[in-house]
Amino acid sequence: MSEDLRAAAQDAVASSRAATDPDYPVVHLAAPVGRLNDPNGLLVDSGTYHAFYQFSPFHPHRKLVYWGHASSDDLLHWQQHEPAIIPDSFYDRSGAYSGGALVLDGDEPAQAPDSAAYQLFYTGNLKDPVTDARTASQCLVTSPDLEHFTKWPANPLLPAHPEGYTPHFRDPQVWRDPDAPGSFRMLVGAQREDLTGTALLYRSTDLLHWQLEGELTFPDADGAFDHFGYMWECPGLVRLTDELTGHVRDVLIWCPQGITPDAEGYENIFPCVYTVGRLEGTELRECDGTFAEVDRGFEFYAPQVFARRPSQPGPAIMVGWAGNAAEDDQPSIETGGWVHAFTAPRVLTLRGGRLLQRPAVELPHDAPALGIVGEWLDSATRIAELDGKRSWHMRLETAQAQERWGVRIGDDADYITVELVPDADATRLVVDRSHSRYTQHGQVRTVTLLSGTVPRLEILHDRSITEVFVGDGDIAFTLRSFVSPQASGAVVFAASPFRLASGCAIAYD
């Protein structure tokens, strides 16, 4: 008798200790049990956001990846649902790996699979139990209501990698071609036989039959991405209008494994980067080879933008995994039997070719102005409005750009600091978690800010995860911040007395 994998996952969730763990986030989506990693199939429809995710309910005892599922009406409070994709088919029995979603509108296409509004594309992973040889295929799940999910009977859509590439072939993103109505495109991360990374483009008119168009190329990049790492994971394209130029641009966001750039940053085991151009066919034109990290923090990977119906346009909202590969040794495994969380959703904008990120949930207009604003602050001043709170959102700005100042979160034993440090050359963001309960994969990181960045810190802290935004979203920095479970609130500190120009905060617990 075959194992009932759905029931086994539900049993694991039902017996979970996660919700009672003092480190378990309040407003960040986290694993209900076991392990969570990449965002999958993000979509929003009629005001409800659905986040699917790589879910290993039996971690660390057994590695078997499902698609978990949660939903939210406000991007703050997430309701967990039953797993959406179960790895119980001949093509995914080693795991239902990452992919994306498409929300169909009206009767597009006329021959839509199952005539279902929601199309979920994912990678089926199959490993030979003897040789460990991998077969990766691209597969389809449909749903009429996001409660019932059906694997396409003729799966897999793409049974294997094309000639000239290795079985490292995964993470499909599907979208409508805005330049060819009625046509759909798929972008898949891949590895060439010479062990260099790339992405492949496919095209379809019915979402079932896909024709390989070729590699994504960069004709104006002077070869910058020809040998850029050994594998490209989680590639995605988002179209944005540049706020300065008014030009429509395509932003490629992806995770190249194995790059060694000669620049500040890129300190994580695997980075996540973006570049900007204009997609024509298989060419990302007007891309000069410039690239930058999406998030400068210790933990960030595999982000994805929410898919929408064309009849329900809205901002580009992105969520990332606040984690990275082979970094599961976090305190929450022992205390609650869970590991990893998502970032809070972020609104993406493009300004002068640079990607900006701001929390999608803004501080409310009536958020209390901090009582310390305008006063001369001593070397360490507690923010009374946050005292007793372990999940909160705060924004602080100083008019004295040459002052060294920052925020400490935690108590005297276990804490992190977030600090802006100006000198004659530049201002730098310094994040230090060397005194926290989690230091294995980075303790102190320094980020040089571009000239003219507003001396503003926006911090979203949620028990064991902290996100920092500098200026107008010029810098995003994500970290797992396991401070003392008894610690609450925040302290503003400075090298010398100074005054805040503005500040407000709201608590979530």
Side-chain angles (χ1 to χ4, degrees), residues 128-150:
D128 187 288
V130 177
T131 66
D132 206 36
R134 178 197 303 266
T135 300
S137 59
Q138 312 314 316
C139 308
L140 172 65
V141 163
T142 64
S143 176
D145 52 13
L146 297 176
E147 295 181 7
H148 305 88
F149 299 89
T150 302

Side-chain angles (χ1 to χ4, degrees), residues 81-412:
H81 304 284
E82 292 184 12
I85 302 179
I86 314 299
D88 58 1
S89 301
F90 73 89
Y91 47 82
D92 66 8
R93 66 175 179 236
S94 302
Y97 278 22
S98 292
L102 189 71
V103 187
L104 299 182
D105 215 357
D107 60 354
E108 59 155 10
Q111 64 274 44
D114 280 355
S115 297
Y118 309 102
Q119 311 280 308
L120 306 178
F121 298 86
Y122 74 101
T123 296
N125 187 46
L126 181 64
K127 288 188 177 181
D128 187 288
V130 177
T131 66
D132 206 36
R134 178 197 303 266
T135 300
S137 59
Q138 312 314 316
C139 308
L140 172 65
V141 163
T142 64
S143 176
D145 52 13
L146 297 176
E147 295 181 7
H148 305 88
F149 299 89
T150 302
K151 291 182 177 178
W152 186 245
N155 270 342
L157 303 181
L158 300 178
H161 59 279
E163 185 177 353
Y165 302 89
T166 77
H168 289 284
F169 171 61
R170 53 184 175 269
D171 311 334
Q173 182 209 22
V174 175
W175 74 99
R176 300 167 183 81
D177 187 345
D179 304 316
S183 185
F184 300 87
R185 308 193 76 183
M186 178 189 290
L187 185 65
V188 186
Q191 182 186 63
R192 304 182 187 99
E193 286 186 338
D194 67 359
L195 305 185
T196 57
T198 188
L200 301 177
L201 282 159
Y202 290 78
R203 187 178 293 274
S204 175
T205 57
D206 63 3
L207 300 175
L208 295 175
H209 302 89
W210 293 89
Q211 182 68 38
L212 176 63
E213 296 182 287
E215 287 188 14
L216 177 64
T217 61
F218 307 83
D220 306 316
D222 196 27
F225 302 120
D226 291 352
H227 299 88
F228 194 65
Y230 61 79
M231 170 63 194
W232 288 11
E233 289 198 315
C234 305
L237 280 160
V238 57
R239 182 160 285 191
L240 299 172
T241 299
D242 194 296
E243 294 179 341
L244 290 184
T245 67
H247 295 154
V248 175
R249 288 293 178 261
D250 295 300
V251 182
L252 175 67
I253 301 173
W254 80 109
C255 299
Q257 298 180 321
I259 66 170
T260 53
D262 183 19
E264 177 187 277
Y266 308 95
E267 298 155 275
N268 293 347
I269 182 172
F270 296 130
C272 177
V273 305
Y274 74 92
T275 193
V276 181
R278 181 171 53 84
L279 185 65
E280 290 191 14
T282 59
E283 298 179 336
L284 192 65
R285 298 182 178 178
E286 300 178 26
C287 169
D288 64 4
T290 300
F291 62 93
E293 276 189 291
V294 176
D295 185 292
R296 296 296 304 275
F298 299 107
E299 284 86 30
F300 185 86
Y301 201 71
Q304 190 173 113
V305 173
F306 281 88
R308 297 175 177 271
R309 295 179 187 265
S311 61
Q312 297 178 10
I317 298 178
M318 182 185 77
V319 169
W321 171 34
N324 217 308
E327 296 184 357
D328 301 333
D329 50 348
Q330 297 181 3
S332 59
I333 281 291
E334 296 298 325
T335 59
W338 65 281
V339 65
H340 299 308
F342 281 177
T343 67
R346 304 170 179 180
V347 174
L348 303 182
T349 55
L350 194 65
R351 184 182 300 162
R354 294 177 51 239
L355 191 66
L356 306 183
Q357 303 168 65
R358 293 291 305 275
V361 178
E362 295 269 1
L363 280 164
H365 295 298
D366 58 352
L370 301 182
I372 57 178
V373 169
E375 297 182 3
W376 283 98
L377 305 183
D378 294 328
S379 58
T381 303
R382 175 165 291 279
I383 300 176
E385 288 86 345
L386 296 177
D387 204 12
K389 307 298 182 181
R390 298 189 60 232
S391 296
W392 42 262
H393 189 176
M394 173 177 64
R395 185 167 61 242
L396 301 173
E397 183 174 340
T398 176
Q400 298 163 268
Q402 298 308 310
E403 291 290 340
R404 175 174 180 165
W405 67 283
V407 175
R408 189 181 76 216
I409 305 167
D411 58 20
D412 292 340

Side-chain angles (χ1 to χ4, degrees), residues 61-81:
H61 310 291
R62 180 183 180 189
K63 184 180 179 181
L64 187 60
V65 182
Y66 297 60
W67 269 36
H69 178 205
S71 65
S72 174
D73 295 329
D74 62 4
L75 293 176
L76 288 171
H77 304 94
W78 293 91
Q79 178 184 356
Q80 294 281 358
H81 304 284

